[in-house]
């Protein structure tokens, strides 16, 4: 399966700390996308990294991609209580996008 | 501001009822998707559509059908609802020619009793 698998499944940190989530996948991709989902709501796109890119930044977010290891990481720096949410990686190959089961992040004030 | 709307946030239906879930996007996107989300399973694709009147089965199409008569509207139909279709249903849209990021609606939490 091409599905991404996030690690860890759940993460709890103090406000101000950094949070790192990892995603591993199995087959070829065109790009890898990260999404956030607040409790009971729809997903919000955070960042897309193409297969020929190694690192991308957006505000407090930093995403890396290692296609040789078929893995990606999402780093959220200086976390805030409002970052509490589930985070999903999605592997994309042409029109096929497959979501992983997600990492649940809790940021404690 | 881009927007995907879904007809209901919460819905309760009885077993055997026919259920319609509607999704509308205002971004002129060619692609539209229906997912269901269950705890521990992530999002699973039910159907997607890449153009008006065009549809493709996703990973779990059984028990569902779809309709796309207009570009902005994509409907999911449960022909005869069953309790195992109790779930969160999410609609999304994206540009064609990607893969591009998807824009999601707020979701419909469907309970079948």
């Amino acid at each position: 399966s091409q599905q991404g698998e996030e690690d860890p499944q759940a993460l709890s940190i103090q406000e101000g700390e950094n949070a790192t989530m990892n995603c591993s996948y199995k087959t070829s991709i065109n790009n890898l996308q990260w999404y956030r989902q607040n409790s009971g709501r729809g997903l919000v796109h955070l960042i897309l990294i193409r297969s020929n890119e190694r690192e991308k930044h957006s505000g407090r977010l930093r995403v890396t991609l290692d296609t040789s290891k078929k893995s990606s990481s999402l780093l959220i720096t200086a976390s805030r209580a409002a970052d509490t949410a589930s985070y999903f990686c999605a592997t994309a190959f042409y029109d096929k996008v497959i979501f992983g089961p997600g990492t649940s992040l809790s940021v404690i004030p | 501001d881009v927007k995907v709307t879904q007809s209901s946030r919460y819905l309760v239906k009885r077993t055997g009822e026919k259920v319609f879930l509607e999704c509308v996007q205002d971004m002129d996107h060619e692609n539209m998707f229906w997912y269901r989300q269950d705890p521990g399973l992530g999002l699973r694709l039910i159907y997607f559509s890449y153009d008006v009147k065009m549809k493709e089965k996703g990973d779990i199409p059984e028990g569902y059908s779809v309709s796309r008569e207009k570009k902005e509207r994509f409907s999911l139909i449960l022909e005869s609802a069953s309790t195992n279709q109790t779930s969160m249903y999410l609609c999304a849209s994206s540009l064609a020619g990607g893969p591009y990021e998807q824009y999601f609606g707020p979701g419909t939490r469907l309970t079948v009793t």
Side-chain angles (χ1 to χ4, degrees), chain A residues 2-102:
Chain A
Q2 184 186 325
Q3 183 184 34
E5 293 280 342
E6 294 93 343
D7 171 58
Q9 288 186 321
L11 181 61
S12 183
I13 60 173
Q14 296 288 328
E15 201 166 30
E17 293 181 338
N18 294 343
T20 300
M21 287 158 268
N22 301 298
C23 173
S24 60
Y25 59 93
K26 295 180 181 176
T27 61
S28 298
I29 61 171
N30 294 126
N31 64 56
L32 187 143
Q33 304 168 21
W34 285 92
Y35 292 79
R36 184 188 75 232
Q37 183 181 34
N38 290 92
S39 180
R41 307 297 294 182
L43 278 70
V44 174
H45 176 258
L46 295 176
I47 199 164
L48 182 155
I49 186 165
R50 294 182 175 81
S51 59
N52 61 354
E53 296 176 309
R54 291 296 167 257
E55 188 170 314
K56 206 161 181 180
H57 296 254
S58 177
R60 294 184 295 112
L61 305 180
R62 173 179 168 252
V63 169
T64 62
L65 179 64
D66 187 335
T67 52
S68 66
K69 294 181 179 178
K70 291 186 167 51
S71 67
S72 173
S73 67
L74 170 67
L75 169 68
I76 304 173
T77 60
S79 64
R80 305 166 181 168
D83 294 328
T84 293
S86 292
Y87 292 83
F88 296 88
C89 73
T91 53
F93 190 63
Y94 294 98
D95 274 342
K96 187 83 168 173
V97 177
I98 301 179
F99 290 80

Side-chain angles (χ1 to χ4, degrees), chain B residues 27-92:
Chain B
M27 294 164 283
D28 204 34
H29 284 170
E30 292 83 5
N31 294 344
M32 295 189 76
F33 309 83
W34 274 108
Y35 296 91
R36 64 176 284 176
Q37 183 179 26
D38 300 287
L41 296 178
L43 274 72
R44 292 181 291 168
L45 182 65
I46 304 172
Y47 269 96
F48 73 96
S49 169
Y50 52 89
D51 201 351
V52 175
K53 297 191 187 295
M54 306 302 287
K55 61 185 180 186
E56 291 279 344
K57 291 180 180 179
D59 300 317
I60 51 164
E62 297 78 19
Y64 304 94
S65 62
V66 290
S67 172
R68 192 165 180 200
E69 297 296 319
K70 293 185 178 181
K71 189 176 185 180
E72 67 271 18
R73 190 179 297 268
F74 191 35
S75 300
L76 180 69
I77 303 151
L78 286 66
E79 296 290 342
S80 177
S82 64
T83 55
N84 62 13
Q85 292 178 310
T86 290
S87 186
M88 169 73 101
Y89 289 87
L90 293 163
C91 174

